[in-house]
């Protein structure tokens, strides 16, 4: 059989669609008020630490906007005015 651990693994360069999707995801994060310092390349190259920071920022935005205040009760998907 083939021993896959002996084969060199080369990361494939991201295609344009992947970079465009990553740019869109980061722009959505920024649009809802998240301070995201990650780059689209961090997402396409699956940089685990940067992806974790993106999710942490999104969780912080959700907690700060009142989305997750009431636990399992009815969840509002927008920031309430007043």
């Amino acid at each position: 059989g083939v021993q896959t651990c002996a084969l060199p693994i080369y990361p494939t360069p991201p295609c344009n669609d992947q970079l465009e999707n990553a740019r869109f995801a980061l722009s959505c994060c920024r649009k809802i008020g998240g301070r995201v310092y990650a780059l689209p390349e961090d997402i396409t190259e699956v940089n685990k630490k940067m992806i974790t920071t993106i999710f942490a920022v999104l969780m912080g935005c959700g907690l700060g906007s009142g989305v997750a205040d009431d636990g399992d009760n009815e969840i509002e998907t927008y920031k309430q005015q007043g």
Side-chain angles (χ1 to χ4, degrees):
V2 176
Q3 295 180 0
T4 56
C5 62
L7 297 175
I9 299 174
Y10 299 107
T12 59
C15 67
N16 286 336
D17 288 341
Q18 291 173 337
L19 282 172
E20 288 298 318
N21 287 336
R23 284 187 189 106
F24 178 69
L26 292 175
S27 68
C28 288
C29 292
R30 291 183 182 110
K31 188 179 280 189
I32 64 170
R35 291 187 176 183
V36 181
Y37 301 104
L39 299 173
E41 289 81 9
D42 292 327
I43 295 175
T44 58
E45 294 171 2
V46 192
N47 184 340
K48 293 178 184 179
K49 289 183 180 180
M50 291 307 286
I51 291 175
T52 302
T53 61
I54 294 169
F55 280 108
V57 166
L58 290 172
M59 288 175 61
C61 287
L63 291 173
S65 67
V67 170
D69 284 345
D70 295 327
D72 292 335
N73 294 343
E74 191 173 331
I75 296 175
E76 299 286 334
T77 57
Y78 57 90
K79 193 170 186 177
Q80 293 182 348
Q81 301 293 328

